[in-house]
Amino acid sequence: MNLSYNKNYLLMILSGILFLAASSFASMIYFKMDDPVDEKKYDVEVNLPIVNWDHYLKLSKQR
Protein backbone atom coordinates (compact mmCIF):
# COMPACT_ATOMS: atom_id res chain seq x y z
CA MET A 1 0.00 0.00 0.00
CA ASN A 2 1.33 3.43 -0.95
CA LEU A 3 1.01 5.63 2.14
CA SER A 4 1.48 8.99 0.38
CA TYR A 5 -1.20 8.05 -2.17
CA ASN A 6 -3.69 7.27 0.62
CA LYS A 7 -2.62 10.36 2.56
CA ASN A 8 -3.59 12.62 -0.35
CA TYR A 9 -7.02 11.04 -0.53
CA LEU A 10 -7.42 11.30 3.23
CA LEU A 11 -6.67 15.03 3.16
CA MET A 12 -9.07 15.52 0.26
CA ILE A 13 -11.86 13.60 2.03
CA LEU A 14 -11.23 15.46 5.30
CA SER A 15 -11.33 18.87 3.58
CA GLY A 16 -14.57 17.85 1.83
CA ILE A 17 -16.15 16.85 5.15
CA LEU A 18 -15.08 20.14 6.75
CA PHE A 19 -16.45 22.09 3.77
CA LEU A 20 -19.81 20.30 3.99
CA ALA A 21 -19.99 20.92 7.74
CA ALA A 22 -19.21 24.63 7.35
CA SER A 23 -21.64 25.11 4.47
CA SER A 24 -24.44 23.28 6.29
CA PHE A 25 -23.86 25.39 9.41
CA ALA A 26 -23.88 28.60 7.34
CA SER A 27 -27.07 27.60 5.52
CA MET A 28 -28.74 26.69 8.82
CA ILE A 29 -27.95 30.16 10.16
CA TYR A 30 -29.14 31.77 6.91
CA PHE A 31 -32.52 30.01 6.92
CA LYS A 32 -33.15 30.62 10.63
CA MET A 33 -32.43 34.35 10.37
CA ASP A 34 -36.02 35.23 9.44
CA ASP A 35 -37.60 33.37 12.36
CA PRO A 36 -39.60 35.66 14.68
CA VAL A 37 -37.80 36.80 17.81
CA ASP A 38 -39.41 36.72 21.25
CA GLU A 39 -39.03 40.38 22.19
CA LYS A 40 -39.69 39.84 25.90
CA LYS A 41 -36.95 37.23 26.13
CA TYR A 42 -34.33 39.44 24.47
CA ASP A 43 -35.45 42.83 25.82
CA VAL A 44 -32.42 45.04 26.46
CA GLU A 45 -32.37 48.53 27.92
CA VAL A 46 -29.48 50.73 26.89
CA ASN A 47 -28.59 53.69 29.09
CA LEU A 48 -26.15 56.06 27.47
CA PRO A 49 -24.38 58.80 29.41
CA ILE A 50 -25.43 62.39 28.81
CA VAL A 51 -22.64 64.24 27.04
CA ASN A 52 -22.06 67.94 27.62
CA TRP A 53 -21.09 68.99 24.10
CA ASP A 54 -20.23 72.57 25.14
CA HIS A 55 -17.27 71.22 27.09
CA TYR A 56 -15.90 69.41 24.02
CA LEU A 57 -16.56 72.28 21.62
CA LYS A 58 -14.43 74.62 23.73
CA LEU A 59 -11.37 72.39 23.45
CA SER A 60 -8.41 73.51 21.38
CA LYS A 61 -8.49 72.47 17.72
CA GLN A 62 -4.68 72.39 17.43
CA ARG A 63 -2.78 69.20 16.65
Side-chain angles (χ1 to χ4, degrees):
M1 225 184 241
N2 191 355
L3 185 62
S4 66
Y5 182 73
N6 291 336
K7 189 176 180 182
N8 289 336
Y9 276 116
L10 180 66
L11 290 175
M12 187 173 67
I13 291 170
L14 182 63
S15 64
I17 291 171
L18 289 175
F19 174 75
L20 288 175
S23 62
S24 65
F25 183 71
S27 64
M28 182 180 65
I29 290 173
Y30 177 75
F31 288 121
K32 290 190 178 227
M33 242 189 326
D34 291 333
D35 288 350
V37 176
D38 185 17
E39 293 181 9
K40 291 183 181 184
K41 184 177 179 182
Y42 297 105
D43 191 20
V44 176
E45 181 180 339
V46 177
N47 294 320
L48 298 175
I50 298 173
V51 177
N52 185 2
W53 288 107
D54 291 333
H55 174 73
Y56 292 103
L57 291 174
K58 290 178 185 175
L59 292 174
S60 175
K61 306 283 190 284
Q62 297 175 1
R63 289 186 176 191

